[in-house]
């Protein structure tokens, strides 16, 4: 069985999305806990799955792979 080629650009954008959203969600004034609804933290993995799926199945263009001549 052949391993499916993953879109590296989609994975890279999903990791950047996760880091940025995590930083936004944990941002709070000094000495206070972040006050976010519980569903807000579920947006991190769901967004990553959506981004990688878009690049794997819809966009199908990978900026990191070079074309063979």
């Amino acid at each position: 069985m052949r391993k499916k080629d993953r879109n590296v650009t989609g994975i890279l954008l999903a990791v950047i999305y996760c880091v940025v959203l995590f930083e936004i969600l944990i941002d709070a004034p000094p000495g206070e806990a972040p006050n976010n609804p519980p569903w807000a933290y579920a947006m991190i993995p769901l967004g990553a799955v959506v981004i990688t799926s878009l690049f794997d199945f819809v966009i199908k263009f990978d900026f990191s792979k070079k074309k063979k001549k």
Side-chain angles (χ1 to χ4, degrees):
M1 179 177 250
R2 185 173 171 239
K3 183 180 171 188
K4 182 183 182 310
D5 293 331
R6 297 299 309 256
N7 194 317
V8 179
T9 304
I11 294 171
L12 181 64
L13 285 178
V15 169
I16 292 171
Y17 166 82
C18 290
V19 170
V20 169
L21 188 59
F22 180 73
E23 289 296 323
I24 290 171
L25 287 175
I26 65 167
D27 188 34
E32 294 184 22
N35 188 13
N36 297 317
W39 58 265
Y41 296 99
M43 297 305 293
I44 295 173
L46 291 176
V49 167
V50 168
I51 290 171
T52 54
S53 298
L54 276 174
F55 274 89
D56 281 343
F57 301 113
V58 178
I59 298 173
K60 295 183 181 178
F61 183 76
D62 196 353
F63 293 106
S64 63
K65 297 215 174 163
K66 296 180 181 177
K67 299 272 183 182
K68 291 182 180 178
K69 291 184 179 181

